[in-house]
Amino acid sequence: MSMQHIRENDLVRDEYGNYYKVVGIHTEEDTLKVLEVSNLYFETSFQYSAGSLAEDYKTKPVGVFIQEQVNAYIDEIQRNERPIYGIRDLMVNRIKVYAVDITQPHPMRNETV
């Protein structure tokens, strides 16, 4: 699997089973050098407003809805036959990986959903 074909919105998985969405790609002379990733759960939580929750979720923790959306995204990636890249494989191939700081405001925070 070529690491040079990674696209934004692809997934990276770490050795603990956490999934990260690729949110930034940095290349030098058409060679992938750096990926910026964000925890998939974190990214997903900014895609929905409280008003978009179906009636079935009104009495459940918001995390139930988010977890189902995360699992659906992973399933979609697999159905579309996109690879899920291992973080260790990226590092072995000299691709630096930086994670988004989740304590900072999310770019979508002030956008309407």
Side-chain angles (χ1 to χ4, degrees):
M1 146 176 43
S2 173
M3 302 290 163
Q4 295 300 314
H5 295 109
I6 296 174
R7 306 187 298 218
E8 284 194 18
N9 299 317
D10 275 350
L11 291 178
V12 174
R13 185 170 184 232
D14 70 16
E15 63 271 19
Y16 304 108
N18 298 302
Y19 287 87
Y20 302 87
K21 190 177 196 178
V22 175
V23 295
I25 296 175
H26 306 280
T27 60
E28 287 179 17
E29 299 176 10
D30 295 330
T31 301
L32 178 62
K33 294 292 185 180
V34 179
L35 286 180
E36 186 176 11
V37 298
S38 183
N39 185 283
L40 183 58
Y41 194 92
F42 178 72
E43 284 300 307
T44 302
S45 71
F46 279 91
Q47 294 179 4
Y48 300 94
S49 67
S52 69
L53 293 177
E55 196 60 38
D56 294 349
Y57 294 100
K58 298 286 183 188
T59 60
K60 297 178 184 176
V62 173
V64 172
F65 175 76
I66 300 298
Q67 187 65 56
E68 289 178 6
Q69 301 309 307
V70 164
N71 289 336
Y73 190 83
I74 295 167
D75 289 343
E76 180 182 342
I77 291 290
Q78 292 171 331
R79 269 194 314 278
N80 290 331
E81 298 182 3
R82 290 296 304 160
I84 298 175
Y85 298 91
I87 199 159
R88 292 251 184 236
D89 294 333
L90 294 167
M91 292 177 182
V92 165
N93 283 282
R94 295 190 174 125
I95 299 170
K96 293 181 182 176
V97 180
Y98 295 99
V100 170
D101 183 350
I102 64 171
T103 65
Q104 298 301 310
H106 190 280
M108 294 181 66
R109 184 175 96 178
N110 294 322
E111 294 180 15
T112 56
V113 179

